[in-house]
Amino acid sequence: MTSRFTIGETDFLLDGAPHRIISGAMHYPRVHPDLWRDRIRKARLMGLNAIETYVAWNAHEPVKGQWREDGDVDLGRFLDIIAEEGMHAIVRPGPYVCAEWHNGGLPTWLTADKSIRLRSSDPAYLAEVTAYLEKVNAIVAPRQIDRGGSVILVQIENEYGAYGADKAYLEALIRTTRDNGITVPLTQVDQPIPHMLQGGAHPELHMTGSFGSRIDERLATLREFQPTGPLMCMEFWCGWFDHWGEKHHTTAFADSAADLDRLLAAGASVNIYMVHGGTNFALTNGANDSGRYLPMVTSYDYDSPISESGDLTEKFHAFREVIARHAPVPDLPAVEPVEAPTPSAAFESVGDPLELVAVDRGGFPTPPTMDELGSDVVLVEYTTDAAGSGVLEAEVRDYAWVERDGAPVGRLQRGIGDLSLAVPEGRTLRMLVEETGRVNYDQKIGEAKGLIGTPLLDGAPLDGPWRVRTFDVPALGAAVSEAADATPVASGRVAGPVGLRAGFDLDEPADLFLDTAGWGKGYAWINGFFLGRYWRRGPQRTLYVPGPVTRAGRNEIVVVELESMTDATARFLARPDLGHEVE
């Protein structure tokens, strides 16, 4: 059955009748695909009639020319499930998405080309973007509401007025999108701040806002710049994200509910950001840098109404009560949080796992950046002969372990501005550099990673040659699992880099919460599924394990510890621990 969705003088119109959008954000790569329907259905039970999602270009095309649209990035299936659940869909394909996602969604193979002017009408950039949008829109176009699908709105770019004002760029994106068969209304979003709304505006785009408070003031500003048509908050911020080294952010559910009520009472449409946040699995977390570099944690719970593990929170019930004052809501069956199984197991060690996935890249006169070494390189070893002692100075992006003649000396950490280190007399200098998350907002999107420039020893440049090795981090899980030699960990304490693995039993598949207390810094896998990063810096102390990656009977956990553990045991908790809360 097809319908027509348009923008009227005062309202969105569904088959000519006024229609209010009550939507929630949910990013399909952040949710295990076997859980998409569960999370979408719970959003509908809260009273929502639509689901919004970003499309992360780098999730679909991490390597140029190698496009994916299956498994965790099967956008078509995600949109189909939304339709099957009786809901509409809003698609925001960027190409830039922010979203606290790695590199703001832009592929590293694209941003590594410094001749390209990102997010502009630069022909070289537009050529790549056009090819990307053609692939995305081939998925979206047949699923539009006027073709019997779920999609009612498509957004052009994202918060562009906070970045630039290249109208030719916006025009090119609109033209490509229409040429690709997108017929539903096109939107844009910016914070209701005059210069941002002006920068991101285009006559063919319906203007929406992003804000989480001061509702009346924000709507008034938005109306000033959008004189006709429905008012819409495309990102109603009902929570917030966490950085490593900070507290876990929450928002008082009663305050958020009151703001939502004010928004709906004003007659506005809304997209709740996020209704369900999910998880930055593997290496997908982003970072911010507004004078200080701060990488995102693995959890993207966002203090959402539907928690990272799918629980219905107090905020869910408060929002549902508010929505019920303004729109019909379905009956809600009793859904109670279930405590997760809490198995534990002793690890066995397989030695230095990095040697299992090392690739010798040869010698270089100066240290190459990660971007120069290939797509999505995140861990690089730089070694040179450097006689003498003194103060080592190096710009690392983002974290480095330093060794002198094979002995650890210390660490350099961009996030705390610690970029110098006293090194003793010796000959060989080794630096293992990790990228801990790419900036997803503002002007530092696409910045180079690794060693930047030539390090100095007592003010003199270390001219090399530099011997370079890279390590395939996603491959570490399988490499440790399949390693032949293993030794039981007897003391409970281990020094890294070290690969650890253990087996544990479950009666049936179940969500789990992996306890990382007593661990240092590294990565974890369950049955080959890459959960993501852990770091003693916190606030996050557990990693969410989606039930579909577990199985009845024997399960395997693999951990790669890069620093040290004081409790080298695999433990699981009954409930998540995302850290000390701050509102």
Side-chain angles (χ1 to χ4, degrees), residues 8-149:
E9 282 296 309
T10 57
D11 299 284
F12 291 112
L13 301 175
L14 179 61
D15 292 330
H19 178 82
R20 192 214 301 261
I21 299 170
I22 306 178
S23 175
M26 190 181 303
H27 304 150
Y28 54 98
R30 282 179 159 140
V31 183
H32 191 282
D34 291 354
L35 296 174
W36 287 346
R37 189 178 299 276
D38 172 80
R39 305 306 196 248
I40 290 166
R41 184 167 293 170
K42 286 173 177 173
R44 182 177 61 80
L45 291 174
M46 198 176 82
L48 303 189
N49 57 25
I51 295 292
E52 174 271 312
T53 187
Y54 280 127
V55 180
W57 184 356
N58 56 10
H60 285 272
E61 194 176 14
V63 178
K64 185 175 182 179
Q66 297 183 18
W67 179 261
R68 286 188 57 220
E69 52 185 75
D70 60 345
D72 62 331
V73 289
D74 190 344
L75 172 60
R77 177 171 174 257
F78 185 73
L79 296 176
D80 290 344
I81 293 173
I82 292 171
E84 290 163 9
E85 291 298 317
M87 302 177 78
H88 294 148
I90 301 169
V91 181
R92 303 204 282 169
Y96 162 77
V97 299
C98 186
E100 293 73 59
W101 184 267
H102 193 256
N103 221 31
L106 298 178
T108 57
W109 57 259
L110 175 75
T111 58
D113 186 345
K114 299 310 175 186
S115 69
I116 289 179
R117 289 184 293 112
L118 303 176
R119 304 180 72 188
S120 78
S121 54
D122 172 19
Y125 177 65
L126 283 178
E128 300 292 357
V129 168
T130 299
Y132 159 68
L133 288 177
E134 287 174 349
K135 295 182 182 71
V136 173
N137 290 329
I139 301 169
V140 175
R143 292 174 169 86
Q144 294 175 100
I145 193 168
D146 55 6
R147 301 194 199 178

Side-chain angles (χ1 to χ4, degrees), residues 96-387:
Y96 162 77
V97 299
C98 186
E100 293 73 59
W101 184 267
H102 193 256
N103 221 31
L106 298 178
T108 57
W109 57 259
L110 175 75
T111 58
D113 186 345
K114 299 310 175 186
S115 69
I116 289 179
R117 289 184 293 112
L118 303 176
R119 304 180 72 188
S120 78
S121 54
D122 172 19
Y125 177 65
L126 283 178
E128 300 292 357
V129 168
T130 299
Y132 159 68
L133 288 177
E134 287 174 349
K135 295 182 182 71
V136 173
N137 290 329
I139 301 169
V140 175
R143 292 174 169 86
Q144 294 175 100
I145 193 168
D146 55 6
R147 301 194 199 178
S150 58
V151 179
I152 56 172
L153 295 175
V154 171
Q155 183 177 290
I156 298 296
E157 244 280 351
N158 187 59
E159 298 180 326
Y160 186 63
Y163 182 87
D166 186 341
K167 304 302 182 180
Y169 171 50
L170 295 177
E171 179 70 35
L173 296 184
I174 293 167
R175 184 170 58 252
T176 295
T177 301
R178 289 304 190 200
D179 288 348
N180 293 164
I182 300 301
T183 54
V184 296
L186 303 181
T187 63
Q188 61 84 238
V189 65
D190 270 298
Q191 294 182 49
I193 298 171
H195 80 272
M196 294 185 183
L197 292 174
Q198 290 167 346
H202 189 281
E204 295 184 50
L205 302 179
H206 187 72
M207 190 175 290
T208 70
S210 54
F211 51 93
S213 60
R214 296 157 59 187
I215 304 301
D216 298 335
E217 173 190 342
R218 299 305 197 191
L219 289 177
T221 303
L222 185 58
R223 177 54 80 200
E224 179 184 348
F225 285 84
Q226 180 67 67
T228 64
L231 291 171
M232 181 168 187
C233 179
M234 187 61 80
E235 291 188 18
F236 173 67
W237 302 324
C238 69
W240 209 242
F241 48 81
D242 292 341
H243 297 119
W244 291 113
E246 296 187 336
K247 292 182 178 180
H248 173 48
H249 292 84
T250 62
T251 57
F253 71 85
D255 292 344
S256 290
D259 284 330
L260 178 62
D261 194 24
R262 191 170 293 110
L263 188 60
L264 295 177
S269 287
V270 65
N271 177 52
I272 295 166
Y273 193 97
M274 302 285 299
V275 69
H276 173 59
T279 310
N280 295 317
F281 293 119
L283 304 169
T284 57
N285 66 284
N288 283 314
D289 191 340
S290 299
R292 180 187 173 197
Y293 170 79
L294 293 166
M296 304 293 171
V297 303
T298 300
S299 171
Y300 199 63
D301 177 82
Y302 213 86
D303 194 35
S304 297
I306 304 169
S307 77
E308 181 179 19
S309 55
D311 288 342
L312 307 185
T313 67
E314 288 182 302
K315 189 173 290 183
F316 175 98
H317 295 289
F319 280 18
R320 185 174 182 275
E321 182 179 326
V322 166
I323 292 168
R325 298 176 199 148
H326 304 275
V329 298
D331 291 336
L332 181 66
V335 181
E336 297 297 331
V338 177
E339 291 201 342
T342 57
S344 63
F347 278 123
E348 59 180 13
S349 165
V350 297
D352 185 349
L354 301 186
E355 296 302 322
L356 302 174
V357 297
V359 177
D360 190 342
R361 306 301 291 268
F364 296 81
T366 57
T369 65
M370 291 177 179
D371 304 65
E372 293 168 331
L373 293 168
S375 299
D376 290 333
V377 174
V378 299
L379 197 61
V380 179
E381 175 190 81
Y382 301 88
T383 305
T384 191
D385 294 329

